[in-house]
Amino acid sequence: MRDFYPELEPFESGLLEVGDGQQIHYEVSGNPDGKPAVYLHGGPGAGSSPDQRRVFDPAEYRIVLFDQRGCGRSLPHASAPEADLSAVTTWHIVADIEALRSHLGIDTWLVCGGSWGSALALAYAEKHPERVSELVLRGIFTLRHSEVDWFYEGGAAHVYPDLWEGFVEPVPEDQRDRLVEAYSRLLNNPDPAVHVPAAKAWSRWESSTVTLLQDAAMIAQFTEDAFAVAFARIENHFFMNDGWFGDGQLIAEAARLKDIPSVIVQGRYDMCTPATTAWDLHRAWPEAEFRMIADAGHSLKEPGILDAVIEATDRFAR
Ligand code: STX
């Protein structure tokens, strides 16, 4: 089994002005003359993490990570009281990816993303296929109503009834039939005594269910106040707006990707983005290599997922 490449530090980082008062934090690591690759993080709202550098051979790749609007080290942070999410949408982020590519003088790059990062990678590649040399996608999410309902309206509750009690706890009992909408009211309440506990319950639910075995360090990171508020607000904002694309659009338009060498990696026991989405994508886009990992959940850190992702980036390096 392949493990993460060794830890490494960026040789370049900065804030890119992208308009709408937004600044995007980006960083570059690995080989300055290597093959360009960009990693798209999840959530939306989770921010990039140093481990995401480590799915690329640093001798072969010029590795780009960035924090999507409103999260990580990008500014303004969505946890700020005055934060306005009206310019935080899928298509603004797609435009930011193009702005970053051109700022770095890159013609085409390998695009890797998991979970929400896979949805964003599909949206980006379907809009700008000529800019994408390869796609490596894991834990496929396309933000269809059925997918949001599964994870946030009671599907996954059948597997995690204990943790589900914590998710519904902040929501008044008479509002529990529409949890994403109820959470939108809680998360946008200006009173921190309301929005902070709600954000922590939302983030705890998600971070507790994305690995086969719970990862205490991940849960601690996701339930820290400012992180949780940005993560929950941004995710909820995207779900309330259906990602600003049609239900099923990302899969319906996958034929645009048929000439891009691509790998889809999906864990059989992914409780956050169940395998049905990856399967539907595979059916719509049979040219992409499809790998179902028999003993893995959702996260990049699941051993079988990591192995398959690195196997793909190693192969595409040559
Ligand atoms: N959210 C899917 C997603 O992108 C619907 C995501 N969920 N959890 C994560 O990402 C982490 C692995 C970053 C916790």
Side-chain angles (χ1 to χ4, degrees), residues 42 85 106 238 275 306 310:
L85 297 186
I106 291 169
F238 274 66
L306 186 59
I310 296 179

Side-chain angles (χ1 to χ4, degrees), residues 4-245:
F4 281 117
Y5 279 100
E7 290 184 21
L8 75 170
E9 292 302 317
F11 57 76
E12 178 186 348
S13 64
L15 284 169
L16 181 67
E17 298 267 2
V18 289
D20 311 306
Q22 306 277 331
Q23 295 177 298
I24 299 303
H25 188 274
Y26 68 92
E27 54 151 80
V28 191
S29 58
N31 179 349
D33 302 314
K35 176 183 170 82
V38 62
Y39 192 97
L40 306 181
H41 70 67
S48 62
S49 87
D51 281 347
Q52 293 162 354
R53 300 169 194 147
R54 301 168 61 200
V55 300
F56 303 104
D57 182 343
E60 299 283 353
Y61 280 102
R62 179 180 173 194
I63 306 156
V64 180
L65 267 55
F66 72 98
D67 295 322
Q68 296 160 27
R69 292 184 177 209
C71 68
R73 285 168 287 178
S74 291
L75 297 170
H77 197 259
S79 66
E82 68 285 1
D84 168 13
L85 297 186
S86 60
V88 181
T89 75
T90 303
W91 303 111
H92 285 95
I93 302 172
V94 165
D96 296 345
I97 301 172
E98 275 298 272
L100 183 57
R101 183 188 60 70
S102 120
H103 176 72
L104 296 172
I106 291 169
D107 271 342
T108 67
W109 47 5
L110 180 152
V111 177
C112 182
S115 200
W116 159 253
S118 73
L120 181 59
L122 290 169
Y124 175 68
E126 288 170 6
K127 182 136 203 262
H128 302 286
E130 70 289 353
R131 296 301 178 186
V132 180
S133 54
E134 297 89 6
L135 280 164
V136 178
L137 309 176
R138 65 139 256 277
I140 306 304
F141 182 53
T142 65
L143 217 141
R144 292 177 296 185
H145 291 134
S146 59
E147 300 169 42
V148 174
D149 286 354
W150 162 265
F151 195 60
Y152 302 98
E153 301 282 2
H158 290 270
V159 186
Y160 290 107
D162 45 351
L163 300 177
W164 185 251
E165 287 184 2
F167 181 68
V168 301
E169 199 272 329
V171 179
E173 274 185 42
D174 62 346
Q175 297 177 27
R176 290 183 184 172
D177 53 333
R178 305 284 285 267
L179 289 163
V180 172
E181 282 181 32
Y183 259 103
S184 173
R185 292 186 286 272
L186 296 169
L187 295 168
N188 292 307
N189 187 305
D191 183 355
V194 176
H195 67 245
V196 173
K200 289 170 91 144
W202 176 287
S203 299
R204 179 175 297 279
W205 163 249
E206 190 147 338
S207 56
S208 304
T209 52
V210 289
T211 44
L212 268 189
L213 304 177
Q214 286 194 11
D215 178 339
M218 178 185 280
I219 298 168
Q221 182 199 349
F222 275 70
T223 52
E224 184 273 316
D225 288 11
F227 187 105
V229 172
F231 179 70
R233 275 191 179 152
I234 293 172
E235 280 202 335
N236 183 272
H237 167 66
F238 274 66
F239 304 153
M240 288 293 289
N241 289 283
D242 301 332
W244 296 271
F245 44 75

